[in-house]
Amino acid sequence: MSDALINGLAGAGGGIIAQLITYPLQTVNTRQQTERDLKKEKRKLGTVEQMCQVVKHEGWERLYGGLAPSLVGTAASQGVYYYFYQIFRNRAEAKALEHKRKGFGDGSVGMFSSLVVAALAGCVNVLLTNPIWVVVTRMQTHTKVSKKSQPSQIEAVTQDEVIPAALEPPPYGTSHVIQEIYGEAGFWGFWKGVFPTLIMVSNPSIQFMLYETMLKKLKKRRTLSKKDNKGVTALEIFLLGALAKLGATVVTYPLLVVKSRLQAKQFKTGDKRHQYKGTMDAILKMIRYEGFNGFYKGMSTKIVQSVLAAAVLFMVKEELVEGARFLLTCDRISAKSP
């Protein structure tokens, strides 16, 4: 089994576990990003309070709306990303060693090369998996209005929230969403938000650059230490992953909001301010009608969710990679023994 395949499978496994743990936070965050009701904004519900509101009015299942396609998307995204990341990194390491033989550099992959490698892997990942995330965003932002709701309660809900409940027959499953997206925009509707998402490739690029830089320095410090070198622990991997993701999220969050707005359902009736024709149209309308604060809606929730998810992912991935390599080594030794 190749090192790239091991990393790809480990990344998929780590991504699924992280997704299961943090999915309710992701659902609430997507709703916060796509919220355009000024009346609701004034209430400023906290993350926990908003989760309780969803459970109270829509049921527990809505916190996990789109979980099935999301798990498929996570496994595919992490698997594709780590697989191609390892392939591109192996090539970068080979070039670095070749340059060392020619008298240039120390044979290690530099920070800029790490950034390019992560960006290339990210672009491949985005182009292949964007349709899955369009479906997931639709399912996360779908608002379920209880049939038992009184007229007074329904009047308190904005027009944009009532329309989906009236037009979309239950259950709002994956197949229904796929048909809906195709009916609205055809084949290319599954690539809505792909341009800001491609730009957002800088997020994992920055994340992995920070992560690998910190990990490299920590390993070097351990090697030079006179004390017993026990290697890097799972807890340290967890913390390094959290710090790397925190830095990347703060920088790229506005693009994530724009992407969510484009992938959420666009209503042809109602307020023109909430209808986006494309990436630039969304950015200009958000600046005009919501100000720059609109680009940071739900950021605190996203930081908690993404940092926790990234930390779990890195920790689980490293453990799975080490476990897989150990098993392969044992198999080789047993195969050679008489």
Side-chain angles (χ1 to χ4, degrees):
M1 185 181 292
S2 68
D3 202 44
L5 184 57
I6 290 174
N7 277 271
L9 293 174
I16 288 174
I17 293 173
Q19 188 83 326
L20 287 170
I21 293 173
T22 65
Y23 196 78
L25 286 171
Q26 188 182 120
T27 298
V28 170
N29 179 242
T30 304
R31 291 191 176 202
Q32 290 172 338
Q33 291 170 351
T34 56
E35 179 58 64
R36 286 159 279 182
D37 183 1
L38 296 178
K39 293 180 180 178
K40 278 194 171 185
E41 284 182 21
K42 292 178 181 178
R43 300 176 205 167
K44 292 183 179 179
L45 294 178
T47 302
V48 176
E49 190 178 358
Q50 190 165 351
M51 288 176 68
C52 291
Q53 288 290 323
V54 172
V55 172
K56 181 180 178 181
H57 298 295
E58 304 177 50
W60 279 99
E61 67 274 10
R62 291 312 306 155
L63 286 177
Y64 292 90
L67 178 61
S70 181
L71 289 177
V72 173
T74 298
S77 294
Q78 297 300 333
V80 169
Y81 185 86
Y82 281 107
Y83 179 78
F84 283 99
Y85 178 84
Q86 195 62 43
I87 287 176
F88 293 141
R89 185 164 185 84
N90 289 343
R91 292 182 180 179
E93 288 174 349
K95 287 186 177 180
L97 290 173
E98 185 180 344
H99 289 161
K100 183 181 179 181
R101 286 194 292 269
K102 294 180 179 179
F104 301 101
D106 59 358
S108 63
V109 179
M111 188 176 293
F112 178 74
S113 296
S114 295
L115 186 65
V116 172
V117 165
L120 289 172
C123 287
V124 174
N125 175 36
V126 167
L127 293 173
L128 292 178
T129 64
N130 194 76
I132 301 174
W133 298 115
V134 174
V135 172
V136 171
T137 300
R138 287 291 183 97
M139 297 182 76
Q140 287 177 333
T141 55
H142 172 65
T143 304
K144 178 182 176 183
V145 179
S146 174
K147 295 180 180 179
K148 297 180 180 179
S149 299
Q150 299 297 325
S152 59
Q153 292 177 313
I154 295 177
E155 289 175 3
V157 181
T158 62
Q159 184 182 5
D160 280 357
E161 290 176 310
V162 174
I163 288 176
L167 295 182
E168 295 161 355
Y172 193 64
T174 305
S175 60
H176 183 105
V177 178
I178 292 173
Q179 292 174 11
E180 181 182 81
I181 295 170
Y182 186 79
E184 289 175 4
F187 178 77
W188 295 111
F190 294 97
W191 272 268
K192 281 187 176 180
V194 72
F195 291 112
T197 308
L198 281 172
I199 300 173
M200 271 190 64
V201 162
S202 58
N203 182 295
S205 299
I206 294 170
Q207 174 188 346
F208 274 89
M209 180 183 68
L210 292 173
Y211 172 74
E212 294 207 346
T213 300
M214 291 187 291
L215 182 61
K216 184 178 178 181
K217 288 183 178 180
L218 181 60
K219 287 182 176 179
K220 186 176 181 180
R221 185 181 300 176
R222 290 285 167 82
T223 303
L224 296 175
S225 177
K226 294 181 180 179
K227 297 180 181 180
D228 293 335
N229 184 12
K230 297 181 180 179
V232 182
T233 65
L235 178 59
E236 288 170 331
I237 293 291
F238 182 96
L239 294 175
L240 289 179
L243 287 173
K245 189 63 178 181
L246 176 61
T249 299
V250 171
V251 174
T252 62
Y253 189 76
L255 289 169
L256 185 62
V257 176
V258 173
K259 182 208 75 168
S260 296
R261 294 285 184 95
L262 290 170
Q263 292 181 345
K265 187 171 183 178
Q266 305 291 314
F267 297 104
K268 296 180 180 179
T269 58
D271 198 333
K272 296 289 185 180
R273 296 178 300 176
H274 301 160
Q275 298 174 21
Y276 306 131
K277 298 177 182 178
T279 303
M280 285 306 301
D281 185 51
I283 292 173
L284 293 174
K285 283 183 177 178
M286 287 177 68
I287 294 173
R288 181 177 178 183
Y289 299 115
E290 301 176 58
F292 286 99
N293 290 336
F295 291 97
Y296 291 93
K297 286 183 177 179
M299 185 172 179
S300 59
T301 305
K302 183 61 181 178
I303 287 176
V304 173
Q305 183 269 327
S306 61
V307 168
L308 178 59
V312 172
L313 188 154
F314 276 118
M315 182 177 68
V316 173
K317 173 187 172 289
E318 292 295 334
E319 292 299 310
L320 289 175
V321 168
E322 290 299 320
R325 286 173 178 168
F326 176 77
L327 290 174
L328 288 173
T329 303
C330 290
D331 288 341
R332 288 169 186 168
I333 292 174
S334 61
K336 290 180 181 180
S337 60

